[in-house]
Amino acid sequence: MLSRTADHLFWLSRYIERAENTARMLDIAYQTSLQPQSADESEQTWRSLVSISELNGLYGAKYSAINARNVMEFMVADENNLSSIFNCLRAARENARAVRGALTTEVWETMNQTWLEFRRLLREGALARDPSQLFEWVKYRSHLSRGVTVGTMLQDEAFHFIRIGSFLERADNTARLLDVKFYRQEQAQGDPEASSHDAARDFYYWSAVLRSVSGFEIYRKVYSNVIQPDKVAELLILRPDMPRSLSHCVTRMLANLKRVANPQSAETLRRVGRLEAELSFGRIDEILAEGMHPFLDGFLAEVADLGSRISRDFLVPSA
């Protein structure tokens, strides 16, 4: 396969996954904002989201205040924010168009229709009218895109590059999703009043986190007890049978990388294999002792490095 074709396939799946996960993070923040809270707490919720997404500079250049309306507009519809849902869906569609011959008709039509329908929804004011409904729509279209890909495409190199992109992006975004909460929690340590106040809402917050990753019923099935932050972290980091966990994503990424391996990719495979082993044999108490934010920060650095290595080994080099 031509490296340029592989590059388009890799990135179209990453952009679709990124749009979905941005919708998931925004939905958590929005649902949390509906709970009783002070103005400072509300601002911190949205500030954390912008910070974890590493968009502080770009956001600050356009908005003087951090609030729900500005952040949602910025991360959903802003054409200057390359990570906005608008730009992610547009980029996914453009990458799909560039490799139209490598995709089935069903995959292409799903990508194209998603982009056209999303633009219509924005024009009709869907974001202002009901943000949660729009976020659910984005998640649904991502599910549809994945299902059509798995259900209609030949499982050749094109398919494997799409899957590599999906699992790499999902691992990155699941880590960021967890970090949105744990970053605030660790920042609040040492403030008894803040910690006590947060504890009163933890059940509702972590329920929202689990629902945002389609994990609420899974949590109940696996743990059969009250929702606890350490158990949520264990589920989303170490459980190999949880579809959005870091462990599952890395395992599936490794499996697909093995199917397209070339002489240049040995070191990349070794690094992914090492990361898989760390997650397979890791323990949540050790991670919590290290600190969730430092752990997730290190994981995100590993994922960024793997993305660069995959690009160097298989895809079009960055200019």
Side-chain angles (χ1 to χ4, degrees):
M1 174 179 289
L2 292 175
S3 61
R4 186 169 297 279
T5 299
D7 184 70
H8 285 302
L9 294 166
F10 176 76
W11 279 104
L12 78 84
S13 61
R14 287 199 69 171
Y15 281 124
I16 284 288
E17 192 75 34
R18 187 174 299 176
E20 177 187 352
N21 284 285
T22 298
R24 290 177 181 276
M25 287 195 292
L26 286 168
D27 202 26
I28 285 183
Y30 178 69
Q31 294 297 334
T32 301
S33 73
L34 299 179
Q35 300 293 327
Q37 58 183 311
S38 68
D40 286 344
E41 288 174 321
S42 178
E43 179 180 331
Q44 184 58 44
T45 295
W46 296 104
R47 185 183 299 279
S48 296
L49 188 57
V50 174
S51 178
I52 293 301
S53 302
E54 299 180 358
L55 295 169
N56 303 69
L58 188 61
Y59 181 91
K62 183 168 184 178
Y63 299 99
S64 58
I66 290 185
N67 54 48
R69 179 180 177 182
N70 289 349
V71 173
M72 286 196 289
E73 180 68 25
F74 176 69
M75 298 193 72
V76 173
D78 194 322
E79 296 186 36
N80 295 317
N81 173 13
L82 296 180
S83 294
S84 70
I85 294 175
F86 178 91
N87 277 322
C88 286
L89 294 182
R90 178 168 62 180
R93 188 259 189 184
E94 290 305 306
N95 276 282
R97 187 168 63 88
V99 288
R100 175 68 185 81
L103 305 173
T104 61
T105 299
E106 291 89 341
V107 172
W108 159 248
E109 289 181 348
T110 299
M111 297 276 188
N112 190 46
Q113 184 181 8
T114 297
W115 164 240
L116 296 175
E117 182 73 5
F118 183 72
R119 287 198 304 171
R120 182 187 66 79
L121 289 171
L122 288 183
R123 286 196 303 268
E124 294 177 355
L127 178 59
R129 185 170 59 251
D130 191 341
S132 278
Q133 186 176 20
L134 181 63
F135 299 148
E136 284 298 323
W137 182 89
V138 172
K139 288 188 281 183
Y140 169 76
R141 295 302 298 188
S142 179
H143 295 326
L144 183 62
S145 173
R146 257 193 317 274
V148 169
T149 299
V150 173
T152 68
M153 284 192 64
L154 180 69
Q155 295 192 13
D156 57 2
E157 285 188 330
F159 175 83
H160 294 305
F161 278 114
I162 288 174
R163 299 297 277 169
I164 291 167
S166 290
F167 287 117
L168 182 68
E169 188 67 30
R170 187 183 301 178
D172 178 273
N173 283 280
T174 296
R176 291 181 189 277
L177 189 67
L178 278 171
D179 213 13
V180 167
K181 173 59 179 176
F182 278 102
Y183 180 74
R184 287 188 62 196
Q185 184 169 292
E186 293 181 3
Q187 289 291 98
Q189 285 180 354
D191 183 347
E193 183 179 348
S195 298
S196 175
H197 193 56
D198 283 344
R201 296 197 314 271
D202 265 358
F203 173 82
Y204 301 101
Y205 184 89
W206 290 110
S207 295
V209 170
L210 288 168
R211 291 185 191 281
S212 76
V213 294
S214 306
F216 186 79
E217 292 84 1
I218 293 174
Y219 182 94
R220 291 298 196 189
K221 183 176 182 179
V222 171
Y223 296 105
S224 302
N225 60 13
V226 175
I227 296 174
Q228 300 172 339
D230 59 333
K231 297 298 184 184
V232 175
E234 183 178 59
L235 181 71
L236 295 183
I237 294 173
L238 300 177
R239 289 284 305 197
D241 49 357
M242 170 61 187
R244 305 197 74 83
S245 74
L246 306 187
S247 177
H248 180 83
C249 291
V250 172
T251 297
R252 300 312 305 155
M253 183 167 56
L254 178 61
N256 283 278
L257 273 170
K258 287 179 177 178
R259 302 295 295 273
V260 296
N262 63 27
Q264 288 77 44
S265 64
E267 177 61 17
T268 301
L269 282 172
R270 187 189 72 81
R271 287 173 180 256
V272 180
R274 182 181 65 188
L275 187 57
E276 182 199 31
E278 290 173 357
L279 292 169
S280 295
F281 296 100
R283 291 173 49 181
I284 196 62
D285 56 337
E286 295 174 345
I287 292 173
L288 291 172
E290 172 189 344
M292 186 60 70
H293 182 60
F295 170 81
L296 293 171
D297 225 24
F299 180 85
L300 287 168
E302 290 267 12
V303 167
D305 180 63
L306 288 175
S308 299
R309 289 179 174 277
I310 290 169
S311 293
R312 184 197 63 197
D313 294 342
F314 301 104
L315 313 177
V316 177
S318 299

